[in-house]
Amino acid sequence: MAQENAAGEATRPAENGTFDAVVIGAGFAGLYMLHRLRGLGFTAQVYEAGSGVGGTWYWNRYPGARCDVESLQYSFSFSEELDQEWNWSEKYSPQPEILAYANHIADRFDLRGQIVFDTRVTAATFNEDTDTWLIETDRGDRVTAKFCIMAVGCLSAPNRPAFQGKSDFRGPIYHTGEWPHEGVDFGGLRVGVIGTGSSAIQSIPMIAQQAVQLTVFQRTATWSVPAWNEALSAEYLKDAKAHYPALRAKARARPTGFYFPFNIQPALQASSEEREQQYEAAWRRGGLPFLGAYGDLLFDKSANDTIAEFARQKIRDIVKNPTTAELLCPHNVFGCKRLCVDTNYFETYNLPHVKLVDVSKTPIERFTKDGIVVDGTEYMVDAIVSATGFAAMTGSFDKIKITGRSGRTLAEKWSGGPRAYLGLASEGFPNLFMITGPGSPSVLASMIQAIEQHVDWLADCLGHMRDVAANSIEPLRENEDAWVAHVNDVSMVSLRSTCSSWYVGANIPGRPRVFMPYIGGFPVYVQKCNEVMNSAYDGFVLKGARSNNAPPRVRFTERWHVPLDIEVISPAAVAAKRVPVV
Ligand code: N01
């Protein structure tokens, strides 16, 4: 029967199909998962809340949005033909180009036919009698699948702080993570931007070009390094493509899953002059690789203090008004929160119509019909941009009522923080998988590499289950507990565990403080996944299998047998688990 949406428009009929797998989300993870499932002959359906593919890059259309991992590495590596045929135009791709790439993937691999758009999954419920999942959507679909695969993204659930008086404000309020597709013209307007994370530092210089007045409300000053973005010439691309497989291999062997020059020397072993030169050279390279200037910057606070002071001096050099410059200087650990990569962020504060308001000690009091009140002063604005981030890592799971064995929900199980074995699956939720879930490298590696490795591992796992006629797979509690403890232990070695970032859920009041991504390094993690697979899924229980001890036939995981690049990490650091990550 045809359904109606809220506007009373006729929509597609609800479905009651049965599939081998349902995938939730059509970002890069969902697209690649679908490609692998199809290749193995599984029936699959993808549900996507948006009207198109691309996930993060579909929703985050704010001005200036671009990736902070270089284009040549922020892309799929599974197809050499794809690598050769796609041409990136800039060192750091802008959002429209990454979205075009996602659309190219969907078309080139003929994926659209199995993606249902404009449909949000609302519930997934495990049936213990049939070992299947019932998946329900906001369009009335009720479909059944043996496997439910969460490709919901790590930074996809916008954080909208409950500012008082929000509904009083007369103008529009935009969130960077759900930007209007038609774009926004800020010409002639007074604009207020709340937040100074990655989304803000990218959009502020662009908004400043249009707005007649821009007021930035800063709660925590941000560390940011210039991108030095540039167009990629035809010669550069030709040369890079001639060596693409080697670049991919080097990238996989890095803790971050992407390649950049890295100096393993400890910062304090260098003289202050040497350090200055080294930081200057790294600043000239720019971007996230700035953190590769020395090997111990994220482990040793004294070493970190040296790079922090260098970066503060850069801010003071750029920003002409000394009071504004001091306000823009962070005093927390350098790179503790996700390092930002900008184009003209600090320079923007030299413009006469751009104002910085400190809300660190006196938070935003309320919105009024005409503006934002801080410490008794009303700042008049016509439009507000909320660059306030996301309920990271688990926010997208929270939006779906996921009910596993014995009627227990994932939200109940994760109320004290997420618990998942390898960030892939959670005890009590058989046949439910996560791509780049909490406890996997995910956001601390290049996302697309992390996605590919997970999908390949999952594809091999599902292929194996079919080979041995297993009904279900589920992690054992003790293995999951041990992994969660290991993720936590490793995080303690890094200075990253010390600040109130979204990595630990601390950007949103009331969330449990748990370091969510795996910080032990991408190759170390890959090795663990491979060991689990090669030992016939150690730590998982396979139910109903004809033979559950046989090592699986490796179809796709082979290419992830990567050694840790010891060139960038001293054996002593590995032994001490001091594996640096960006
Ligand atoms: O979000 P954020 P984001 N009152 O959480 C502030 C990826 N990404 O969307 O730090 C006032 O980093 C908050 O203040 P504080 C990337 O991984 C990548 O910018 O909590 N302010 C902070 O300044 C990134 O890390 C790219 O004190 C409030 C800001 O809002 C992640 O996404 C581009 C507030 C939120 O910063 C998230 O980035 C964009 C309040 N009540 C994003 N609540 C690239 O690839 C929050 N804030 C380049």
Side-chain angles (χ1 to χ4, degrees), residues 312-325:
R312 270 192 291 269
Q313 193 50 48
K314 285 289 179 194
I315 297 171
R316 293 178 188 125
D317 292 346
I318 297 168
V319 180
K320 296 201 172 79
N321 179 318
T323 310
T324 307

Side-chain angles (χ1 to χ4, degrees), residues 392-410:
M393 306 295 292
T394 56
S396 305
F397 289 87
D398 297 342
K399 287 184 179 174
I400 302 169
K401 187 173 184 212
I402 300 170
T403 310
R405 273 194 296 107
S406 313
R408 186 171 53 152
T409 65
L410 194 70

